[in-house]
């Protein structure tokens, strides 16, 4: 324990001599004031006053509360004829424990099984152990019926203290001390008597759950809202790979093609034919599984199998307004774009973009990886349907490089 | 009281607070010794005649009063060590 002088030196940044001098002056002042009728009142500490020539100290309530912070949640309990013994401290006086034990033994009512004291009393040992203290205390508070339940803990505590300190007989705060019901089945008042430790534990658990929930929500939102180009590329690459595996009716037209090695433009055309078959009304393409290595086109007649037919229709739709695309990449839903080229590096892609004429469509550069080769693709416009994309592509035919193809980017 | 005296008083009060909350004893030269006395929890028994149902009528009811433990602030004046001027908070 440090001396007051050293403590004050640290707090005030003074030398030992200075602290001694100031302390002496202050003590002289305090003692002189304590001789007055009102004494020496020191805020947040208490009052010094001489009584019968003895200097006494009356601590403030705040100081008393501060030194009893550990026992703030404990209340004075009054049990009538009960078997419940409550301990709140390891220093509990057990002078009456034997009496309680005898009472428990004598009582044959079934409620005794619910008490922690009963089992201990049979062994002849001390009636209550430290481990049982808190639990028993809770039971006593939560299960005491009668008037005790009608009082708040503060009222009960105040009443009990007032009676005990006044050396008066203790009034009845509980008429039936036997245990009834379960400890946790109490009302809101019962909850007030839950020990602070348990309250904090519960609060901590709730807090952890809330934090985890918030983190999960943030993660989900970030995953859904931060769909960057890389994810788009993956999706589009998957689609494109599937198409390439599936084969297509390329520009050469004719019958079903099963060669998996085709150029991207032809692949894309196959996808367009497959997906727009119903709308276009030109082909009945049985592309049941684009990820498979073939396209079932058994029912195609000669006219329908010609790639030129749907292209003619698409060309017709090119008469639509050119500004049918989206101004930006939407967060959800299918999105198609016109691929105008691929480069090895982003810088090269940006150079190409800078050389493009004003297409009146947004241009996107995004990375992709395919067969272990990574690069960057340049897409023009965002379209909800392939038809729109093709329409725009036809409209921009003079401005776009040859070989441009429509691809799904999201 | 001058500013420096008030400043000193604040530091002194803080030092006494910290010592008592920590359960330590603190001697203030010229005043006395502050300390904490721990009073353990108490069980008091009180007998009374039961007014309950017939099953318990014959037995005397006893009330059990359980008081939680408490820390009591004690102060012993320096010049009056032969007398115990301990002041209890209750």
């Amino acid at each position: 324990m440090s001396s007051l002088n050293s403590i004050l030196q640290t707090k005030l940044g003074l030398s030992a001599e200075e602290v001694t001098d100031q302390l002496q002056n202050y003590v002289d002042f305090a003692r002189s004031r304590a001789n007055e009728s009102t004494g020496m009142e020191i805020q947040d500490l208490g009052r010094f006053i001489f009584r019968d020539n003895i200097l006494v100290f009356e601590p403030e309530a705040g100081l008393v509360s501060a030194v009893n912070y550990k026992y703030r949640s404990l209340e004075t309990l009054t049990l009538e004829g009960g078997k419940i013994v409550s301990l709140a401290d390891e220093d509990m006086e057990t002078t009456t424990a034997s009496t309680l034990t005898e009472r428990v033994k004598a009582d044959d009512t079934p409620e005794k099984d619910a008490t922690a004291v009963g089992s201990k009393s049979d062994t002849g040992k001390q009636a209550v152990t430290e481990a049982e203290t808190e639990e028993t205390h809770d039971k006593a508070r939560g299960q005491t019926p009668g008037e005790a339940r009608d009082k708040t803990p503060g009222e009960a505590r105040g009443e009990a203290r007032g009676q005990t300190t006044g050396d008066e007989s203790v009034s009845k705060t509980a008429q039936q001390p036997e245990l009834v019901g379960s400890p946790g089945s109490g009302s809101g008042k019962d909850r007030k008597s839950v020990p602070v430790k348990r309250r904090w534990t519960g609060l901590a658990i709730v807090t952890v759950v809330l934090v985890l929930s918030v983190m999960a929500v943030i993660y989900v939102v970030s995953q859904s809202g931060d769909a960057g180009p890389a994810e788009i590329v993956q999706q589009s690459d998957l689609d494109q790979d599937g198409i390439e595996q599936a084969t297509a009716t390329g520009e050469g037209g004719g019958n079903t093609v099963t060669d998996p090695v085709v150029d991207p433009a032809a692949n894309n055309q196959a996808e367009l034919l497959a997906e727009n078959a119903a709308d276009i009304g030109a082909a009945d393409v049985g592309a049941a599984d684009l990820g498979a290595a073939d396209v079932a086109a058994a029912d195609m007649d000669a006219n329908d199998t010609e790639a030129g037919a749907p292209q003619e229709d698409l060309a017709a739709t090119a008469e639509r307004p050119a500004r049918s695309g989206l101004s930006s990449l939407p967060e959800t839903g299918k999105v198609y774009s016109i691929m105008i080229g691929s480069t090895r590096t982003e810088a090269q892609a940006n150079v190409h973009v800078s050389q493009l004429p004003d297409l009146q469509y947004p241009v996107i550069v995004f990375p992709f990886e395919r067969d272990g080769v990574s690069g960057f693709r340049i897409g023009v416009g965002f379209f909800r349907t392939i038809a729109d994309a093709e329409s725009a592509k036809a409209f921009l035919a003079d401005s776009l490089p040859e070989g441009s193809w429509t691809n799904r980017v999201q | 009281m001058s500013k420096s005296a008030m400043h000193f008083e604040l530091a002194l009060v803080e030092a006494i607070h910290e010592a008592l909350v920590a359960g330590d004893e603190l001697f203030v030269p010229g005043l006395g010794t502050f300390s904490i006395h721990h009073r353990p929890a108490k069980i008091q028994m009180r007998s009374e005649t039961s007014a309950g149902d017939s099953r318990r009528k014959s037995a005397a009811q006893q009330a059990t009063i359980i008081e939680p433990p408490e820390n009591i602030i004690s102060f012993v004046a320096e010049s009056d060590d032969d007398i115990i001027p301990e002041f209890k908070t209750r």
Side-chain angles (χ1 to χ4, degrees):
Chain A
M1 183 181 70
S2 304
S3 71
L4 178 63
N5 197 298
S6 61
I7 294 171
L8 292 176
Q9 284 179 49
T10 306
K11 286 183 180 296
L12 298 169
L14 300 175
S15 66
E17 291 75 20
E18 289 173 324
V19 168
T20 303
D21 287 344
Q22 289 204 21
L23 183 60
Q24 184 61 47
N25 291 335
Y26 184 80
V27 166
D28 291 343
F29 170 72
R31 291 185 76 96
S32 65
R33 290 283 303 277
N35 263 322
E36 298 175 3
S37 59
T38 55
M40 170 68 176
E41 185 83 34
I42 301 177
Q43 192 176 3
D44 297 330
L45 187 67
R47 185 168 65 142
F48 291 94
I49 189 168
F50 276 99
R51 286 185 180 145
D52 299 330
N53 291 326
I54 300 170
L55 180 63
V56 295
F57 170 63
E58 299 172 354
E60 268 195 4
L63 180 60
V64 174
S65 175
V67 300
N68 283 288
Y69 72 96
K70 287 191 290 188
Y71 313 119
R72 200 171 294 165
S73 64
L74 302 178
E75 303 157 9
T76 299
L77 300 177
T78 303
L79 307 172
E80 299 273 345
K83 301 157 292 186
I84 302 167
V85 174
S86 178
L87 285 175
D89 188 29
E90 64 276 12
D91 297 327
M92 181 75 178
E93 290 177 352
T94 56
T95 53
T96 58
S98 58
T99 306
L100 292 174
T101 304
E102 290 171 5
R103 287 173 47 76
V104 171
K105 280 182 177 177
D107 197 337
D108 291 332
T109 55
E111 300 92 51
K112 72 178 181 181
D113 293 334
T115 66
V117 178
S119 60
K120 283 287 177 187
S121 64
D122 292 338
T123 65
K125 296 178 181 175
Q126 187 175 346
V128 180
T129 63
E130 291 178 15
E132 294 163 330
T133 299
E134 192 173 3
E135 179 183 352
T136 313
H137 209 92
D138 292 343
K139 286 180 179 177
R141 282 182 293 196
Q143 296 173 345
T144 303
E147 291 179 10
R149 286 192 174 179
D150 297 329
K151 298 177 189 292
T152 63
E155 289 170 349
R157 182 187 178 92
E159 180 182 332
R161 288 201 172 202
Q163 289 156 355
T164 54
T165 55
D167 292 328
E168 298 171 0
S169 62
V170 178
S171 67
K172 296 176 183 178
T173 56
Q175 297 297 329
Q176 299 176 19
E178 287 79 12
L179 296 176
V180 290
S182 63
S185 63
S187 61
K189 291 177 182 176
D190 294 330
R191 291 182 61 190
K192 284 183 181 177
S193 64
V194 175
V196 173
K197 266 184 190 173
R198 294 188 181 178
R199 269 188 239 165
W200 280 109
T201 305
L203 191 61
I205 292 172
V206 170
T207 305
V208 167
V209 169
L210 283 176
V211 167
L212 290 177
S213 303
V214 170
M215 290 175 67
V217 169
I218 291 172
Y219 178 77
V220 169
V221 169
S222 65
Q223 289 299 310
S224 61
D226 190 22
E231 292 181 7
I232 296 172
V233 170
Q234 284 185 347
Q235 181 64 42
S236 63
D237 286 341
L238 285 175
D239 291 345
Q240 186 167 2
D241 291 343
I243 295 165
E244 289 175 356
Q245 296 287 329
T247 76
T249 56
E251 291 183 1
N255 297 322
T256 301
V257 180
T258 56
D259 183 3
V261 181
V262 293
D263 65 74
N267 289 338
N268 192 258
Q269 193 61 41
E271 181 188 16
L272 299 182
L273 290 174
E275 293 195 14
N276 285 335
D279 296 334
I280 296 170
D284 182 13
V285 182
D289 183 7
L290 291 177
D294 59 2
V295 175
D299 295 332
M300 289 181 174
D301 58 37
N303 292 329
D304 291 340
T305 55
E306 290 181 5
Q311 284 216 340
E312 287 175 3
D313 289 338
L314 290 174
T317 60
E319 298 301 323
R320 298 176 189 172
R323 298 291 298 166
S324 58
L326 306 169
S327 59
S328 61
L329 183 63
E331 291 185 0
T332 57
K334 291 182 178 179
V335 178
Y336 298 88
S337 185
I338 303 168
M339 301 293 107
I340 62 172
S342 304
T343 61
R344 289 288 184 190
T345 66
E346 189 175 15
Q348 292 173 333
N350 288 330
V351 169
H352 283 292
V353 170
S354 65
Q355 293 172 350
L356 287 174
D358 183 14
L359 300 174
Q360 297 185 342
Y361 283 95
V363 179
I364 183 175
V365 175
F366 57 92
F368 76 97
E369 186 174 354
R370 183 178 156 207
D371 298 332
V373 178
S374 59
F376 292 84
R377 282 187 177 143
I378 305 168
V380 175
F382 304 115
F383 306 92
R384 282 297 188 190
T385 65
I386 294 173
D388 286 344
E390 286 298 310
S391 172
K393 191 174 77 172
F395 188 80
L396 298 170
D398 295 335
S399 304
L400 298 177
E402 288 186 9
S404 301
W405 74 97
T406 300
N407 195 15
R408 183 179 169 189
V409 296
Q410 177 172 298
Chain B
M1 188 186 293
S2 65
K3 268 191 175 180
S4 61
M6 290 176 65
H7 192 55
F8 184 85
E9 182 184 275
L10 286 175
L12 178 64
V13 168
E14 194 175 87
I16 296 173
H17 255 268
E18 290 172 356
L20 293 180
V21 169
D24 294 335
E25 190 177 87
L26 186 69
F27 172 64
V28 181
L31 276 183
T33 303
F34 294 87
S35 60
I36 289 289
H37 286 191
H38 181 68
R39 195 216 69 192
K42 285 196 298 189
I43 296 178
Q44 297 178 0
M45 304 296 291
R46 180 179 61 85
S47 298
E48 66 177 18
T49 304
S50 171
D53 57 50
S54 57
R55 188 176 56 166
R56 296 191 181 92
K57 257 183 182 173
S58 57
Q61 294 281 329
Q62 281 192 316
T64 305
I65 302 165
I66 306 165
E67 287 191 56
E70 188 177 20
N71 286 331
I72 299 171
I73 300 169
S74 294
F75 172 74
V76 179
E78 185 184 19
S79 58
D80 302 307
D81 286 341
D82 51 337
I83 306 172
I84 302 176
E86 175 182 341
F87 178 85
K88 295 191 175 182
T89 58
R90 282 179 50 193

